[in-house]
Amino acid sequence: MAVGDIVLSLRTRDSIDGIGIVTDEYEYDDSYDHYGRKREVNWIATDINENILAMNGNKGLTQRTVYRLNRITLNDLLPIINEHKTKVDEVQEERNHVFIIDEINRGNISKIFGELITLIEKQKRLGMNEQAKVRLPYSKKEFGVPSNVYLLGTMNTADRSIAMLDTALRRRFRFIEMLPDVGALDGIVVNGVNIRRLLETMNKRIEVLYDREHTIGHAYFIELKDSPDLSKLARIFKNAVLPLLQEYFYEDYRKIQLILGDNMKNDDSKFISERKIDQGLFGRADEVDLDILESTYTINAAAFENPEAYRKIYES
C-alpha cells in the first residue's frame, strides 16, 4: 500500500462498508499486543452497504488481511461516493498525478491522445458540469479524466517542428516559456571562473547575433555545482557548448569567436584560432581573386584547459 491508495473495507463477500484514502506512511505501533503494523486512513464513506460483486468481475471478496482489487477503478467508486454525499474533492485532490511527455511537438498527437484529446479539457474532466467519458476499446469500460491529473508537454521552441504543432494541442495547453535560469548557477566557481557570469555573457551575445530562442540552457553546467572541476568544464565546452554554437551559426566561426570573446583575447586563450591564407598557396596572385578567400579557423584544444580562456569571455 502507499499514500493516496483507495481502501475498501470488507462487509460480506459481495459488499463493502467503507471507502477511505491512505494518508500516511507505514509505521509500527508497539502499544498493540498483536497486529502493530498500521497506516492512517481518511475514511470518506462509512457505515455503508454497497454490493460491488459485479464491479469486481463477479469475484467474491475474501477475509485476507489486505489485497489489491485490480478490476475496480476510482471511476467505478465515484458514483458510490456521490450517492453517500461525501466530499469527492478529498478523493480527487488527495494525490495529484503528473504525466510528462517529452518533445511532445515531435509526436503524433492522434496516437498519443486518441479520444482523450477531448477529455483532457478542464470543463470535460470528471466532476465538472460538462464532464465527458469514452468507452475504452479493449476493456469496454467507461473512462474519464479526473481533475487531479496534470499533463506536461516539453518542447524546444527553437525546433523547426514547432511551426507544425497540432492546433488541437495549442488550444488545450497553456504555454509557459522556460528561459535559462542563470540564478541556478550562483556560487559555482571553477578555478576562478564564475560560471553564472560566463553563461550570462554568452547568452546576451547569442540574443544579439541570433535570437533569444537559442540561448544556452543552464542545465549544461549544473553538474559543476557538486564537482567544480576544470576538466569537467572543458568537457562541457568541448562536447556540448562549442558543437551547439557550430550548429547555430552554421560554422560561421567569426560569430562563434564573438560569442566566446575570442576577438578580444590573445592567441593562447582563444578557443577558435584564426589563420590568414597564404596568398602564394594558389599560385600567381594576379590570377586569383583573393577577396573571395577567407581566413581558416582551427579549434585551439589547449584553451579548454586554460581558466583564462573562460574568464576572458566575461571580463573583457
Side-chain angles (χ1 to χ4, degrees):
M1 298 172 70
V3 174
D5 281 352
I6 306 298
V7 179
L8 305 183
S9 174
L10 173 73
R11 184 183 183 97
T12 69
R13 68 179 303 275
D14 299 336
S15 64
I16 58 172
D17 61 9
I19 301 175
I21 302 173
V22 178
T23 59
D24 205 356
E25 299 292 347
Y26 156 85
E27 63 177 305
Y28 187 85
D29 190 340
D30 55 13
S31 65
Y32 293 93
D33 293 332
H34 302 287
Y35 312 118
R37 298 176 178 84
K38 71 176 187 179
R39 284 179 180 271
E40 293 293 328
V41 174
N42 176 23
W43 293 102
I44 57 177
T46 57
D47 297 323
I48 63 177
N49 183 6
E50 287 288 341
N51 189 302
I52 63 168
L53 185 64
M55 189 186 301
N56 196 38
N58 292 317
K59 300 290 183 180
L61 305 174
T62 73
Q63 291 185 334
R64 282 183 291 165
T65 303
V66 61
Y67 57 96
R68 188 181 299 276
L69 296 171
N70 292 313
R71 302 178 186 88
I72 299 177
T73 67
L74 176 59
N75 287 341
D76 297 325
L77 297 174
L78 284 177
I80 299 176
I81 296 171
N82 284 326
E83 180 183 346
H84 292 275
K85 298 180 180 179
T86 56
K87 296 180 180 178
V88 180
D89 288 345
E90 290 185 27
V91 180
Q92 294 182 334
E93 296 178 8
E94 186 68 32
R95 186 181 184 187
N96 293 328
H97 298 269
V98 179
F99 288 88
I100 300 176
I101 307 172
D102 193 26
E103 299 282 4
I104 191 171
N105 55 311
R106 292 180 175 272
N108 185 321
I109 301 304
S110 297
K111 288 186 177 180
I112 293 173
F113 290 106
E115 305 92 330
L116 302 185
I117 194 69
T118 297
L119 302 187
I120 64 176
E121 295 180 27
K122 185 176 181 179
Q123 65 271 23
K124 301 294 177 61
R125 300 290 187 98
L126 294 177
M128 299 299 181
N129 293 334
E130 300 178 28
Q131 76 168 22
K133 295 181 181 180
V134 297
R135 188 168 298 279
L136 298 177
Y138 295 107
S139 67
K140 304 303 179 184
K141 289 186 177 181
E142 283 195 329
F143 178 81
V145 179
S147 60
N148 64 333
V149 173
Y150 295 86
L151 301 172
L152 299 182
T154 67
M155 64 181 68
N156 186 346
T157 51
D159 195 329
R160 295 180 184 86
S161 64
I162 194 173
M164 299 179 288
L165 194 60
D166 194 285
T167 304
L169 205 62
R170 290 184 182 275
R171 186 162 57 86
R172 289 172 172 84
F173 279 76
R174 290 182 299 167
F175 287 77
I176 302 173
E177 185 178 50
M178 301 290 289
L179 291 174
D181 180 12
V182 293
L185 306 177
D186 279 344
I188 303 180
V189 179
V190 179
N191 285 49
V193 179
N194 186 312
I195 301 301
R196 171 176 178 155
R197 291 186 61 191
L198 178 77
L199 180 61
E200 203 167 27
T201 301
M202 287 194 299
N203 278 342
K204 285 180 180 178
R205 293 170 180 166
I206 290 173
E207 190 172 346
V208 172
L209 294 176
Y210 203 158
D211 59 42
R212 67 198 300 269
E213 305 291 345
H214 288 79
T215 48
I216 299 173
H218 60 277
Y220 287 115
F221 301 92
I222 284 294
E223 61 179 295
L224 296 171
K225 186 181 287 288
D226 297 325
S227 179
D229 184 70
L230 181 61
S231 62
K232 189 170 291 186
L233 176 60
R235 177 171 52 79
I236 293 169
F237 256 73
K238 189 182 301 182
N239 299 336
V241 174
L242 187 57
L244 192 63
L245 293 176
Q246 288 172 319
E247 180 183 344
Y248 282 176
F249 297 104
Y250 302 99
E251 301 196 9
D252 183 345
Y253 285 100
R254 288 172 298 184
K255 289 183 178 179
I256 297 175
Q257 282 183 314
L258 292 174
I259 300 296
L260 300 175
D262 284 350
N263 57 308
M264 297 173 284
K265 299 177 184 175
N266 59 46
D267 289 341
D268 292 337
S269 58
K270 287 183 177 182
F271 289 101
I272 308 296
S273 298
E274 181 178 352
R275 187 176 61 185
K276 297 297 182 182
I277 293 176
D278 179 7
Q279 295 188 4
L281 183 63
F282 297 96
R284 293 176 55 184
D286 57 350
E287 294 178 351
V288 181
D289 184 3
L290 296 178
D291 290 336
I292 67 171
L293 302 179
E294 299 180 356
S295 301
T296 58
Y297 299 89
T298 57
I299 297 173
N300 180 15
F304 293 104
E305 305 295 337
N306 183 1
E308 188 72 9
Y310 300 101
R311 282 196 295 269
K312 288 292 186 181
I313 291 177
Y314 60 84
E315 283 185 349
S316 57

